[in-house]
Amino acid sequence: MPTSSGASRARPSFSAATDVYARSNALYHTYGQVNGLHRISRPPLPKIHQNSSATRSNSASSSQLRQQQRAKSTSCLNGDSVLLPSRKLPPDPAAAGHHRGANGSNAAASSSSTSAGRSVNGRRRSSVSLHERGMVGLSNLGNTCYMNSMVQCLSHTRPLLELLMRSSSESIDPPPGRLAAAYQRLMRDMWSSSAAAVISPTELRSRLAKFAPRFRGSGQQDSQECLRYLLEGLHEDLSRNSERHPRLPAIDYDQLDRLSDSEKSLVLWQRYTKLENSPIVDIFVGQLKSTLQCCECGHKSTTFDPFWDLALSIPRGNRVSLAACLDLFTDPETLDGNERPKCDKCKTRRRCLKSFCLYRLPTILVIHLKRFSGERYRTKLNTLVDYPFDLDLSEFVDTDLRGKQPAHYSLYAVSEHSGTPMGGHYTAIVRHAYAIDRWVAFSDASVRRSSESAVVSSQGYVLFYERTKRSHTDYN
């Protein structure tokens, strides 16, 4: 199972003899602590320079950026030209609740979709422009708003969409009868239909339930856990490995510890991608650096672990910034008492400081705000996390790598949860993949145009950011 940063925070041994990769790979199949809250005490780091309030209030600069982007591109949004310039458009696809209780809307939308020009399984070419597609509703099949919310966010994740839709020598042909094949067919239907369509994701739900039996029936589920299983299923079905579980030589830790951090990171990353090699890893997976420092002798030990999302605890307060959540995640934590690890230099257990930083950044960054806690997630935090549209992660990247890799991200989708843990509803608000000025709100079969002002709210649960070479402010 792909791990989030929250799951990968299991404390490593200070001893170099610990099999870091084996531990990481074991955690790869564990998700149970994803929503658990972690106690972390950390000194301050420099803040993210822009916050969402400042970004939203700076409407003039955002407008100037969009005008420049429109001038470089083509789209059919109101007949004007808008297109993200650096990407090829996919060909015409036709040519080739969570409800934590019984409450919620759209419990039984129509299971059939009808609209002018709709293509079923790519059999009929749609006359609807690309920029008017991808805005279809999804039937609720019985407490499945958790899945619908995530499907809408992933539908507008351009690298994943174009991976499955493009026609080239690298085109993807998932194994028949597998989850990836069902997901690909659903994407082709969604991007072949007009905005008036409602599609039933019956096949995808069936394949997801077969891949992960926890999603059988109409029980209460979580959208973030659904995302993890969806990505795992796509990853396995699209694996480049000829063997399901290839065997690699054991790690020589004596040799590994003689390497610099950059060399050690590369060795462990190459080892990981030999075991877990797929286009999904290329898109979603990054790498964390974990450091343990002995408080007695100052000796440092570093390890590197892959992450599929960042699971961030939320500081106390009615309103906090995403920067504060990242500070909480990256600031050092004191390990003392029974938690003291063994120092390799002192040869005994010592009080230590443990800290995390980002080392290798993914193309798509998924941030999971840990709102649910307690036994069976009976507690929900309704804190407003002020997440920015333009996110600069430079201050949270390892100091030796700052400025050496793009660290700017743009928000494009949010999976939201409204209500209580025992009776709520999942929705999504998404920026259209091919119309940068268009935000769309999805609630099962309901689809409506939205705006930037509605994107940041206390309902934000899972955030999707795409890495960019430049942020909005860089253009001004």
Side-chain angles (χ1 to χ4, degrees):
M1 184 72 205
T3 59
S4 72
S5 59
S8 65
R9 292 183 68 88
R11 296 183 174 90
S13 168
F14 209 71
S15 172
T18 301
D19 189 337
V20 178
Y21 189 81
R23 177 176 55 79
S24 174
N25 205 36
L27 287 170
Y28 180 84
H29 297 280
T30 303
Y31 69 92
Q33 299 180 5
V34 169
N35 281 290
L37 294 177
H38 295 267
R39 175 187 167 277
I40 315 172
S41 57
R42 301 179 157 92
L45 284 176
K47 306 293 184 182
I48 294 178
H49 296 298
Q50 62 269 36
N51 56 46
S52 59
S53 298
T55 304
R56 293 198 306 277
S57 65
N58 189 12
S59 58
S61 62
S62 296
S63 176
Q64 293 173 7
L65 167 69
R66 294 189 183 96
Q67 290 174 4
Q68 294 174 14
Q69 291 174 324
R70 266 198 294 267
K72 298 179 180 179
S73 57
T74 58
S75 168
C76 71
L77 177 61
N78 297 327
D80 295 329
S81 60
V82 183
L83 173 68
L84 301 181
S86 61
R87 292 265 184 82
K88 293 182 178 179
L89 297 182
D92 187 336
H98 165 48
H99 297 270
R100 290 185 175 269
N103 299 327
S105 61
N106 298 318
S110 171
S111 63
S112 62
S113 59
T114 58
S115 65
R118 183 184 169 192
S119 167
V120 179
N121 292 331
R123 295 177 183 173
R124 184 156 57 92
R125 178 176 294 276
S126 172
S127 60
V128 181
S129 167
L130 178 66
H131 299 79
E132 295 298 334
R133 300 180 212 167
M135 296 190 296
V136 302
L138 295 173
S139 301
N140 190 309
L141 306 176
N143 278 355
T144 58
C145 58
Y146 66 90
M147 183 183 75
N148 292 345
S149 171
M150 278 304 164
V151 168
Q152 296 290 8
C153 292
L154 290 178
S155 174
H156 292 267
T157 299
R158 285 186 60 168
L160 179 61
L161 176 66
E162 294 175 359
L163 169 73
L164 294 169
M165 306 288 276
R166 68 192 178 193
S167 177
S168 69
S169 59
E170 298 179 351
S171 61
I172 300 300
D173 187 18
R178 302 294 291 272
L179 187 147
Y183 181 82
Q184 185 182 57
R185 279 190 289 273
L186 179 60
M187 289 299 104
R188 287 178 173 172
D189 275 356
M190 292 175 68
W191 285 86
S192 301
S193 303
S194 72
V198 177
I199 292 177
S200 176
T202 306
E203 183 187 12
L204 179 64
R205 185 200 180 194
S206 174
R207 292 299 172 188
L208 178 62
K210 186 174 182 179
F211 178 77
R214 67 179 295 115
F215 295 108
R216 291 175 180 171
S218 57
Q220 304 171 17
Q221 300 295 342
D222 179 84
S223 73
Q224 189 269 341
E225 291 177 358
C226 178
L227 172 66
R228 304 277 295 288
Y229 280 107
L230 275 173
L231 292 182
E232 181 190 9
L234 294 175
H235 163 66
E236 289 192 5
D237 290 347
L238 303 178
S239 175
R240 300 186 182 105
N241 292 334
S242 56
E243 299 179 34
R244 186 174 180 84
H245 299 292
R247 294 183 178 180
L248 297 178
I251 297 176
D252 184 341
Y253 284 100
D254 290 336
Q255 181 179 0
L256 189 66
D257 287 341
R258 290 193 289 267
L259 300 178
S260 65
D261 281 351
S262 61
E263 293 171 330
K264 184 186 296 186
S265 163
L266 182 59
V267 167
L268 293 177
W269 178 256
Q270 290 176 340
R271 183 180 177 87
Y272 175 76
T273 53
K274 285 180 181 179
L275 291 169
E276 309 292 347
N277 188 355
S278 77
I280 306 302
V281 170
D282 296 343
I283 295 171
F284 289 96
V285 180
Q287 191 180 46
L288 284 175
K289 176 183 175 180
S290 173
T291 302
L292 280 173
Q293 182 173 6
C294 178
C295 295
E296 297 294 329
C297 69
H299 176 71
K300 290 184 179 181
S301 174
T302 59
T303 61
F304 296 86
D305 295 310
F307 71 90
W308 287 67
D309 61 58
L310 292 180
L312 303 183
S313 298
I314 302 174
R316 293 188 178 186
N318 294 326
R319 181 169 185 160
V320 300
S321 67
L322 185 61
C325 298
L326 287 163
D327 277 338
L328 193 60
F329 179 76
T330 56
D331 290 346
E333 175 186 10
T334 301
L335 303 183
D336 203 353
N338 294 333
E339 296 181 327
R340 291 182 298 171
K342 182 179 180 181
C343 174
D344 291 334
K345 187 174 181 180
C346 298
K347 304 301 181 182
T348 187
R349 293 186 176 275
R350 295 291 194 187
R351 185 169 61 94
C352 295
L353 293 178
K354 180 180 180 181
S355 61
F356 287 92
C357 66
L358 303 176
Y359 205 83
R360 183 184 298 268
L361 298 177
T363 300
I364 297 297
L365 174 67
V366 179
I367 295 178
H368 163 215
L369 300 175
K370 297 196 287 188
R371 294 194 177 277
F372 300 105
S373 63
E375 184 180 357
R376 300 185 66 182
Y377 306 150
R378 291 184 180 274
T379 303
K380 180 186 175 185
L381 296 174
N382 290 309
T383 303
L384 173 59
V385 178
D386 203 6
Y387 38 89
F389 288 87
D390 296 307
L391 175 63
D392 183 0
L393 289 177
S394 300
E395 301 298 338
F396 303 97
V397 174
D398 183 75
T399 53
D400 292 338
L401 293 183
R402 291 177 189 173
K404 296 181 180 179
Q405 60 179 320
H408 289 87
Y409 285 82
S410 178
L411 180 71
Y412 71 90
V414 180
S415 174
E416 302 174 314
H417 181 271
S418 59
T420 69
M422 304 307 297
H425 181 54
Y426 279 109
T427 56
I429 185 165
V430 177
R431 188 183 68 198
H432 194 280
Y434 298 104
I436 195 171
D437 284 336
R438 182 187 303 170
W439 287 89
V440 186
F442 297 95
S443 178
D444 291 331
S446 173
V447 181
R448 61 180 176 82
R449 294 286 292 271
S450 189
S451 63
E452 282 190 352
S453 61
V455 175
V456 181
S457 74
S458 59
Q459 299 177 5
Y461 180 44
V462 181
L463 316 177
F464 290 77
Y465 283 89
E466 182 172 14
R467 187 162 61 173
T468 60
K469 292 183 179 180
R470 306 176 74 184
S471 69
H472 282 189
T473 54
D474 290 329
Y475 285 92
N476 299 316

